[in-house]
């Protein structure tokens, strides 16, 4: 009898905990004690209690609020059915759903026709025009990942709706600033390089084999991010040349196009998922390797001039699962407003079996005694 009472009590305690748990699900991860916090890898819910669906995302801060843009992914399948989602928050924990910032088109043959693939949206604010400009990676409907286009959209207000402007490859007919005339003049016989990963092929990639192949139609642009420098100049950073080489291209003053000034970095380095920040005049970029939805070891790249020389440093992640970026792939680095020199590393833990269930990993960036950034797993933390 006594035993049964005890059992019953236990059941009640569990039920009560369940209810408590259920109703206290907040912006960032599960909150068991009513206190907010970022718990990477958990299901994150918006203020309506719906799962946050904003993958491969990026954030901006505008007039006291953060706006988070990301891919709205379906529960099954890989193509875009709705568009780019937007959420807003003042504390990075309670997220209000703002709706679809840029929706797919119902028009047949439209660049962003339903069934296209919209990935890694990033938004920047243009001080000169007062407009919000979104760039994202676009693949046309039914074409797999072949088109490799960059697409741009514009809005008068941060949450949108954004108006699609155009999509295409980048800087057609233009050589990068850091390619000498000797390399520009090489006449490649493409039939000699059908086999990938041979030493000859690597050397040809470094010298611009694929850049030259794509010269006429423009450079491929897949995983991407945007960056606005202190002088207001905007940059588009993207995996190009069949994901083998990163390119950094200057944007026009209105951020709606490219100026033709660009560089290639780490040719053949296979960098994806670029995320960038600047601290004390130094640029830091975190990228991933190229293993699709599977996590791999992050890379840390640095430069003192954005269109200058970049060098590579060891993996910035430390501790358990650091060799797999804690199960994630970089997407954005957010400077925390009102907190000097504090940055958040944001990554996606992809679940290809159901992409909408992919999780978010947001971790604070720390700096060692030499000022070099590193990232450790933190079970739970508060940005504010
Ligand atoms: C990843 C990339 C993602 C998505 C995926 C498709 O490597 O970072 O954004 O494109 O491949 O397989």
């Amino acid at each position: 009898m006594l035993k049964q009472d005890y059992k019953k009590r236990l059941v009640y305690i569990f039920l009560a905990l369940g209810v408590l748990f259920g109703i206290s699900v907040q912006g960032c991860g599960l909150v068991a004690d009513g206190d907010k916090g970022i718990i990477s890898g958990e299901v994150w819910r918006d203020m309506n209690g719906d799962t946050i669906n904003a993958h491969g995302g990026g954030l901006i801060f505008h007039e006291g609020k953060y706006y988070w843009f990301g891919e709205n992914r379906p529960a099954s399948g890989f193509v875009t059915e709705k568009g780019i989602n937007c959420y807003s928050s003042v504390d990075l924990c309670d997220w209000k759903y703002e709706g679809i910032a840029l929706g797919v088109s119902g028009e047949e043959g439209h660049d962003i026709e339903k069934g296209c693939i919209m990935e890694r949206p990033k938004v920047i604010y243009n001080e000169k025009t007062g407009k919000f400009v979104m760039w994202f990676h676009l693949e046309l409907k039914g074409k797999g990942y072949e088109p490799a286009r960059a697409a741009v959209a514009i809005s008068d207000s941060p949450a949108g709706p954004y108006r699609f402007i155009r999509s295409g490859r980048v800087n057609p007919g233009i050589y990068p600033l850091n390619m000498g005339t000797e390399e520009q003049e090489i006449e490649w016989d493409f039939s000699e390089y059908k086999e990938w990963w041979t030493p000859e092929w690597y050397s040809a990639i470094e010298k611009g084999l694929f850049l030259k192949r794509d010269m006429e139609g423009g450079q491929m642009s897949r995983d991407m991010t945007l960056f606005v420098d202190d002088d207001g100049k905007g940059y588009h950073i993207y995996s190009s040349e069949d994901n083998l080489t990163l390119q950094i291209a200057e944007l026009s003053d209105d951020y709606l196009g490219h100026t033709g000034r660009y560089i290639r970095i780490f040719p053949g380095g296979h960098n994806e998922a670029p995320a960038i920040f600047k601290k004390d005049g130094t640029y830091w970029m975190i990228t991933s390797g190229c293993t699709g939805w599977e996590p791999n070891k992050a890379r840390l790249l640095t430069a003192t001039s954005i269109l200058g020389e970049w060098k590579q440093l060891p993996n910035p992640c430390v501790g358990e699962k650091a060799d797999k970026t804690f199960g994630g792939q970089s997407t954005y680095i957010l400077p925390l407003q009102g907190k000097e020199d504090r940055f958040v590393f944001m990554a996606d833990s992809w679940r290809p079996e159901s992409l909408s269930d992919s999780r978010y990993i947001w971790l604070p960036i720390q700096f060692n005694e030499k000022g070099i950034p590193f990232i450790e797993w933190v079970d739970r933390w508060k940005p504010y």
Side-chain angles (χ1 to χ4, degrees):
M1 188 66 177
L2 207 68
K3 215 174 178 185
Q4 248 178 7
D5 271 347
Y6 175 70
K7 262 193 189 165
K8 233 188 218 168
R9 226 185 255 171
L10 260 186
V11 169
Y12 284 137
I13 289 172
F14 273 115
L15 277 177
L17 273 177
V19 169
L20 201 85
F21 227 39
I23 55 165
S24 61
V25 167
Q26 304 222 354
C28 302
L30 297 165
V31 184
D33 51 12
D35 201 8
K36 290 182 212 165
I38 290 184
I39 306 179
S40 292
E42 296 290 338
V43 172
W44 291 4
R45 295 182 193 279
D46 65 15
M47 286 157 86
N48 295 329
D50 296 324
T51 305
I52 295 181
N53 196 339
H55 311 281
L59 281 88
I60 54 162
F61 183 79
H62 188 75
E63 290 178 352
K65 262 192 207 165
Y66 288 99
Y67 294 84
W68 176 5
F69 301 87
E71 303 156 12
N72 176 310
R73 289 286 191 170
S76 66
F78 296 90
V79 299
T80 305
E81 285 168 13
K82 295 202 169 132
I84 304 299
N85 264 345
C86 179
Y87 296 83
S88 66
S89 172
V90 290
D91 60 3
L92 296 174
C93 280
D94 287 330
W95 290 98
K96 176 177 172 237
Y97 184 49
E98 296 280 352
I100 302 276
L102 175 68
V104 291
S105 166
E107 191 188 319
E108 205 180 310
H110 194 287
D111 284 9
I112 56 166
E113 180 182 358
K114 183 176 173 182
C116 67
I117 302 175
M118 292 156 102
E119 288 186 350
R120 299 189 176 266
K122 305 288 177 290
V123 171
I124 48 180
Y125 175 65
N126 191 297
E127 292 279 353
K128 286 188 189 135
T129 61
K131 305 278 185 199
F132 296 84
V133 178
M134 176 192 286
W135 284 85
F136 57 99
H137 165 203
L138 175 70
E139 300 294 351
L140 304 176
K141 185 180 174 185
K143 300 256 166 43
Y145 276 84
E146 281 310 302
R149 290 188 182 198
V152 59
I154 192 168
S155 170
D156 292 327
S157 56
Y162 284 74
R163 180 171 58 82
F164 177 78
I165 299 183
R166 93 186 96 77
S167 78
R169 293 250 176 123
V170 179
N171 286 326
I174 303 172
Y175 284 103
L177 298 170
N178 60 350
M179 185 176 227
T181 43
E182 207 175 293
E183 284 176 351
Q184 290 180 20
E185 280 162 10
I186 303 175
E187 302 271 349
W188 296 102
D189 176 355
F190 293 103
S191 65
E192 279 177 31
Y193 300 97
K194 287 216 171 102
E195 194 187 337
W196 285 38
W197 316 118
T198 66
E200 299 74 34
W201 175 88
Y202 258 118
S203 154
I205 289 296
E206 267 179 47
K207 292 185 183 133
L209 180 76
F210 286 180
L211 175 119
K212 192 102 173 196
R213 178 198 66 190
D214 297 336
M215 189 45 60
E216 207 183 311
Q219 299 302 307
M220 298 174 91
S221 175
R222 291 205 183 107
D223 282 9
M224 56 144 283
T225 196
L226 299 176
F227 178 70
V228 175
D229 212 338
D230 306 328
D231 59 4
K233 272 199 192 308
Y235 296 90
H236 176 208
I237 304 166
Y238 50 98
S239 297
S240 194
E241 304 175 31
D242 272 302
N243 301 344
L244 288 159
T245 302
L246 280 174
Q247 296 186 355
I248 305 179
E250 189 185 75
L251 293 175
S252 53
D253 283 350
D254 58 9
Y255 301 159
L256 299 177
H258 297 89
T259 63
R261 282 166 51 80
Y262 75 105
I263 60 166
R264 316 165 66 216
I265 63 170
F266 306 101
H270 237 180
N271 286 288
E272 277 198 330
I276 187 174
F277 71 104
K278 186 182 186 183
K279 179 176 178 287
D280 305 328
T282 299
Y283 302 85
W284 300 98
M285 192 165 7
I286 296 176
T287 64
S288 74
C290 239
T291 51
W293 305 113
E294 286 301 311
N296 54 50
K297 197 198 273 184
R299 293 101 180 266
L300 178 65
L301 317 174
T302 187
T304 50
S305 153
I306 192 157
L307 293 180
E309 288 281 321
W310 283 79
K311 64 176 189 200
Q312 187 167 344
L313 300 175
N315 179 8
C317 299
V318 295
E320 213 183 314
K321 287 211 196 152
D323 61 333
K324 292 274 190 283
T325 319
F326 314 111
Q329 184 187 29
S330 39
T331 182
Y332 195 71
I333 294 170
L334 176 74
L336 272 186
Q337 294 299 314
K339 306 262 179 182
E340 215 179 314
D341 291 342
R342 286 193 59 202
F343 302 86
V344 186
F345 171 72
M346 300 182 167
D348 297 285
S349 175
W350 298 110
R351 299 194 170 199
E353 60 286 358
S354 180
L355 280 177
S356 62
D357 189 35
S358 301
R359 306 293 168 83
Y360 312 101
I361 295 176
W362 290 9
L363 297 167
I365 294 187
Q366 305 181 60
F367 297 90
N368 70 14
E369 66 288 350
K370 289 187 187 146
I372 296 173
F374 68 94
I375 304 156
E376 267 176 331
W377 178 264
V378 184
D379 281 339
R380 171 186 175 144
W381 65 286
K382 271 189 185 173
Y384 292 102

